[in-house]
Amino acid sequence: MGKEIFWLFGIAFLVLHHSGAVWAQNQAEGRKLYGTYCLTCHGEKGKGDGLAAKSLPVKPADHTNGSIMNQLSDKFLLDVISKGGSAVGKSAFMPPWGGQLDEKQIRDIIAYIRNIAEPPYKDKALGR
Ligand code: HEC
């Protein structure tokens, strides 16, 4: 094996390793935001069983249900979170968060909810 190949693998490893670390950091950030803004309805574990959920006529989405959540694209999640349920034909009881949260924060939250889905979400860009 030539030296070039060695470096190629080395660089590929560093890039993958780094994107994994960034991914983990985003998730941690998203988790905090989720606890602040989403937990009251979606529940501490994201199961849609938060305190406020009982008094809502529509059940908040269960973010741990991978068979549903994994069908939804990042674009759709970004839309429903920033513009609210009514903007995507869902219930207006899902409020719009675009006023309080910027796009980076919403993407961090998406990274977090992707992580709690079971079966796990396969992110094509990161190969997981
Ligand atoms: C006031 C209660 C409430 C809060 C707070 C809330 N949600 Fe929701 N959310 C809902 C309800 C109710 C639905 C279901 C809408 C429907 O099914 O028509 C929903 C649906 C969703 C969906 C759509 C999932 C799907 O199956 O299409 C996503 C994603 C979501 N919420 C994310 C969030 C995030 C992220 C936050 C915090 C930034 C949040 N929600 C805060 C009530 C809430």
Side-chain angles (χ1 to χ4, degrees):
M1 216 197 295
K3 265 209 183 92
E4 298 78 9
I5 304 252
F6 174 81
W7 281 112
L8 205 64
F9 275 117
I11 290 165
F13 172 79
L14 282 177
V15 169
L16 286 176
H17 189 74
H18 183 70
S19 62
V22 170
W23 176 251
Q25 196 187 350
N26 293 353
Q27 266 178 40
E29 209 40 57
R31 184 194 184 124
K32 273 189 244 156
L33 294 167
Y34 194 90
T36 310
Y37 297 97
C38 322
L39 176 148
T40 38
C41 292
H42 289 277
E44 200 186 330
K45 297 242 151 60
K47 285 187 168 299
D49 58 357
L51 272 180
K54 293 185 194 72
S55 50
L56 293 175
V58 188
K59 193 183 174 334
D62 176 356
H63 294 146
T64 64
N65 186 344
S67 52
I68 293 173
M69 292 305 294
N70 297 346
Q71 311 280 325
L72 308 172
S73 67
D74 285 358
K75 164 88 177 65
F76 176 84
L77 293 178
L78 192 65
D79 278 352
V80 62
I81 298 170
S82 61
K83 299 180 196 148
S86 57
V88 296
K90 298 217 147 209
S91 164
F93 284 100
M94 164 62 190
W97 297 99
Q100 279 105 309
L101 301 169
D102 63 27
E103 187 176 327
K104 155 96 175 59
Q105 292 176 308
I106 295 177
R107 288 199 184 277
D108 287 349
I109 294 178
I110 295 174
Y112 171 65
I113 58 184
R114 288 302 193 194
N115 189 45
I116 59 175
E118 207 38 63
Y121 180 70
K122 306 248 185 301
D123 187 306
K124 286 160 210 93
L126 286 167
R128 47 180 98 207

